[in-house]
Amino acid sequence: MGLFDKLRRFIPKNHRYAQMLNGYTPIFSQFGTNIYASDVVQQALKCIVDEMSKLKPMHIRRVGNDYIPVNDSLQYVLENPNPLMTTSEFLEKTMWLLLLNCNVFILPTYYEWKDEKGNKKRYFDGLYPLKPTQVDFIEDASSTLYVKLTFENNFETTVAYSDIIHIRYNFSVNEYMGGDETGQPDHSGILSTLQLNKTLLEGIAKAMKASYAVNGVVKANTMIDGDKKEAAVRELEEKLKNSESGFLLTDLKSEFIPLQHDIQLVDEATLKFIDSKILRNWKVPLPILTGEFDKSQYSAFYQSALEPFILKISQAITKKVFTDREKSYGNEVRLYPEDLVFMTVDQTLEMVNMLSNTGALYENEKRNAFGIRPLPELSGKRYMSLNWVDVDIATQYQLDR
């Protein structure tokens, strides 16, 4: 069974376009890619995508303050999303689609049945990031929301909105889609900066080209016609080519006058400012781009650029793959950054050490604080130091001993 077979869904009868408060019809085309020809933009986005692809998605169940890993069909597809992708490739594809379009749709495929108590159960067998060229939001007579997806090969399918994972970036003025009011990425703010950067680079290229243009003037001390003038220039060029010492001998009939080139290039500070101004749109500092970052710079990059995406993806998957009953029991999907190089852990370590002595932390909470996945064998376990005692019974405790 191919992907398009899994995409075939029931088309609601008597459907109509969903209502929008601003009066627009909810039909959205995708792929606003007019800024991504810039190498600086591509490098900034790649920094984010590469770090996000290191995350480890995990199905957990939160019981009180404890985090219990769940090994089921959902966890299997989180580790093996579909026959074409590994987990890192799935996250990479998802992030590129999200950053390029401000929207990404992921289709979870599953079989559904009811257990002996009548509760709905799902067996998952795939997660597929989709790349539609057009998305229409429609609803049936009961106001159930659907999305009609059109692809590049003109294949169309309609899926219940509750059955598809929709992750939005810059979700603001549009009621259904991320981006601007048309569901497209809003590039108006950065286009002027990219144009300035392009102008500077073109100026540098022209300056470099000019430095190799006219290097000198040959002054003839006699009147010569056009053919002889060209022959004289060729003769001078041959002398320049054949000279190994760097000296050029001329006779009384000609005089070589060198031209002094004063090429004014853009200073380094200006170029750095322009690059930084572009990178700030995605909160990627220049040291991250060049790989010369320190601990505090990486920590700031993680918290400002990566953590919002981690929360978006985790919450969007959790919202759609679990039933309301499953969510009420604390089931959720989290992306654990255990493979990311955390640099500033001193404060976290100090907090864990302080709370561990009092038994205030479960063992998996300690692992979670450092972005490490919970372990089944540690579920429900807490440890405390015997060197601590309640101040109200300290005297009695000492006397009893």
Side-chain angles (χ1 to χ4, degrees):
M1 180 180 291
L3 172 59
F4 287 111
D5 294 319
K6 295 181 178 181
L7 275 171
R8 299 184 189 280
R9 291 289 191 272
F10 170 75
I11 300 178
K13 295 181 179 179
N14 302 321
H15 67 271
R16 62 181 184 273
Y17 286 111
Q19 300 298 309
M20 295 183 67
L21 295 178
N22 59 9
Y24 288 108
T25 302
I27 303 175
F28 307 103
S29 61
Q30 293 287 281
F31 310 113
T33 57
N34 53 324
I35 69 169
Y36 302 107
S38 167
D39 60 333
V40 181
V41 173
Q42 290 181 9
Q43 292 165 13
L45 298 186
K46 184 168 174 56
C47 284
I48 296 175
V49 171
D50 287 347
E51 294 302 307
M52 290 293 294
S53 67
K54 300 176 184 178
L55 297 169
K56 300 295 183 183
M58 192 170 192
H59 175 197
I60 64 168
R61 183 177 296 118
R62 185 168 183 170
V63 181
N65 292 320
D66 197 10
Y67 301 88
I68 303 174
V70 181
N71 189 15
D72 59 357
S73 64
L74 177 59
Q75 182 59 40
Y76 177 80
V77 299
L78 290 174
E79 297 174 354
N80 303 274
N82 58 68
L84 300 177
M85 299 177 189
T86 63
T87 299
S88 63
E89 291 169 341
F90 167 79
L91 291 172
E92 182 178 13
K93 182 78 169 180
T94 299
M95 282 305 302
W96 274 119
L97 290 174
L98 181 59
L99 290 169
L100 293 177
N101 302 307
C102 287
N103 295 274
V104 61
F105 295 89
I106 302 173
L107 178 73
T109 57
Y110 56 85
Y111 302 98
E112 191 172 70
W113 76 96
K114 291 185 178 181
D115 61 13
E116 61 277 4
K117 297 181 179 180
N119 298 318
K120 288 184 179 181
K121 296 289 184 179
R122 292 175 176 177
Y123 180 88
F124 290 90
D125 63 356
L127 288 170
Y128 295 87
L130 305 178
K131 187 184 174 184
T133 56
Q134 182 174 311
V135 179
D136 302 348
F137 286 83
I138 59 178
E139 56 185 20
D140 60 13
S142 63
S143 297
T144 301
L145 189 63
Y146 294 82
V147 285
K148 179 183 177 183
L149 305 174
T150 305
F151 297 87
E152 291 177 303
N153 62 352
N154 293 324
F155 176 82
E156 295 180 352
T157 186
T158 301
V159 185
Y161 189 67
S162 59
D163 288 338
I164 197 165
I165 300 167
H166 183 194
I167 307 171
R168 293 169 282 208
Y169 175 45
N170 289 339
F171 184 39
S172 56
V173 294
N174 193 286
E175 296 174 46
Y176 296 108
M177 302 281 279
D180 61 17
E181 61 182 12
T182 65
Q184 293 287 322
D186 186 2
H187 297 151
S188 57
I190 192 176
L191 282 174
S192 58
T193 305
L194 290 175
Q195 184 59 48
L196 176 59
N197 185 63
K198 180 182 178 183
T199 302
L200 289 175
L201 293 177
E202 288 177 347
I204 293 174
K206 290 179 180 179
M208 296 297 293
K209 185 177 180 180
S211 66
Y212 296 103
V214 179
N215 294 310
V217 176
V218 179
K219 179 181 179 182
N221 294 323
T222 60
M223 299 295 294
I224 56 177
D225 55 27
D227 294 339
K228 292 182 179 180
K229 187 186 299 182
E230 293 180 2
V233 172
R234 287 196 295 271
E235 180 183 356
L236 180 61
E237 289 176 347
E238 288 298 323
K239 289 181 179 180
L240 289 171
K241 292 179 182 179
N242 297 331
S243 175
E244 297 180 356
S245 64
F247 293 97
L248 179 66
L249 179 64
T250 62
D251 55 19
L252 294 175
K253 295 184 296 182
S254 61
E255 178 182 355
F256 178 73
I257 304 173
L259 295 179
Q260 298 296 326
H261 293 287
D262 185 15
I263 305 299
Q264 298 293 331
L265 297 178
V266 181
D267 61 278
E268 182 181 355
T270 301
L271 290 176
K272 187 175 181 180
F273 169 76
I274 296 299
D275 284 345
S276 299
K277 186 172 173 59
I278 296 172
L279 296 174
R280 282 201 300 269
N281 287 270
W282 292 275
K283 298 180 177 63
V284 179
L286 196 57
I288 293 292
L289 191 68
T290 59
E292 300 171 346
F293 53 88
D294 57 25
K295 297 180 180 181
S296 61
Q297 289 167 335
Y298 185 87
S299 178
F301 168 63
Y302 172 81
Q303 293 178 15
S304 61
L306 303 183
E307 201 166 36
F309 288 117
I310 294 175
L311 292 176
K312 279 180 180 292
I313 296 174
S314 299
Q315 293 175 0
I317 296 177
T318 297
K319 182 177 179 65
K320 295 301 181 71
V321 298
F322 297 114
T323 63
D324 291 339
R325 181 176 181 275
E326 290 171 331
K327 283 182 282 191
S328 70
Y329 280 94
N331 287 281
E332 58 182 282
V333 171
R334 286 199 175 189
L335 302 181
Y336 284 93
E338 62 181 69
D339 286 349
L340 299 183
V341 183
F342 284 100
M343 299 298 181
T344 56
V345 296
D346 294 341
Q347 293 180 342
T348 303
L349 184 61
E350 182 180 357
M351 179 198 68
V352 170
N353 285 336
M354 181 178 65
L355 296 178
S356 295
N357 290 328
T358 62
L361 288 179
Y362 287 93
E363 291 303 295
N364 276 333
E365 278 188 300
K366 299 175 186 177
R367 297 176 63 86
N368 186 71
F370 293 98
I372 305 174
R373 290 182 295 175
L375 296 176
E377 58 267 26
L378 294 179
S379 297
K381 291 188 177 182
R382 286 188 296 169
Y383 296 96
M384 66 178 295
S385 172
L386 292 179
N387 295 323
W388 294 75
V389 66
D390 191 332
V391 294
D392 294 331
I393 62 170
T395 303
Q396 180 184 350
Y397 174 78
Q398 286 180 322
L399 292 175
D400 288 346
R401 290 191 63 183

